[in-house]
Amino acid sequence: MPMTAPIQRLLEKLPSPTDRLFVWLVPAVLVLAALAFAVPWLRRVVTEWRLRRNLQRLGTQTLRNVLFPDGMDGTVWIEQLSLTAGGILLLSLKRYPGLIYGAEAIDTWTQVINGRSYPFPNPLPSLHGDVVAVQALVPGTPVSGRVVFT
């Protein structure tokens, strides 16, 4: 019997199961909260990296985020230019989630997310102006433009 007294005292000094639960619960909640914030950010980073990698495969050389004079005392910002076998390809990237409805002759296009619609201006006239500005800088080189929705 004298042996059980030291064991009993040792057991009394150990934290209770409830205390042990809280010791592990707080770090677990913190880790889950960090993951809840990190996963969407990480998903956006990976998606952007994959998009850039695929767009770089379009041409032999690529310029990104370039500011050009527009020929009318202004400037145009172009997100990506790619040198291809057929000339220069100008890409205008639009990061719009959901469904996109539009046509070349329609002034207002529509983005639909979760059943709600959001109008936005047709991006093609702006793209045409960017193509004309680049063509003025490199006469004789074919320049085409595309709007890419991600």
Side-chain angles (χ1 to χ4, degrees), residues 113-133:
I113 302 172
N114 297 327
R116 296 193 61 183
S117 63
Y118 304 93
F120 64 96
N122 183 342
L124 297 178
S126 173
L127 177 69
H128 178 69
D130 295 348
V131 167
V132 169

Side-chain angles (χ1 to χ4, degrees), residues 66-113:
V66 183
L67 197 61
F68 286 115
D70 66 357
M72 297 183 293
D73 294 328
T75 57
V76 293
W77 176 74
I78 299 173
E79 194 158 357
Q80 179 159 334
L81 289 172
S82 292
L83 181 61
T84 66
I88 295 175
L89 177 62
L90 185 148
L91 297 175
S92 176
L93 302 176
K94 304 292 181 190
R95 292 163 180 84
Y96 293 174
L99 301 172
I100 305 296
Y101 296 99
E104 188 173 348
I106 298 174
D107 290 336
T108 302
W109 288 15
T110 304
Q111 173 189 25
V112 178
I113 302 172

Side-chain angles (χ1 to χ4, degrees), residues 23-47:
V23 165
W24 288 104
L25 186 63
V26 171
V29 167
L30 291 175
V31 167
L32 289 175
L35 284 175
F37 287 111
V39 168
W41 174 81
L42 188 59
R43 185 176 294 137
R44 283 191 302 270
V45 168
V46 169
T47 300

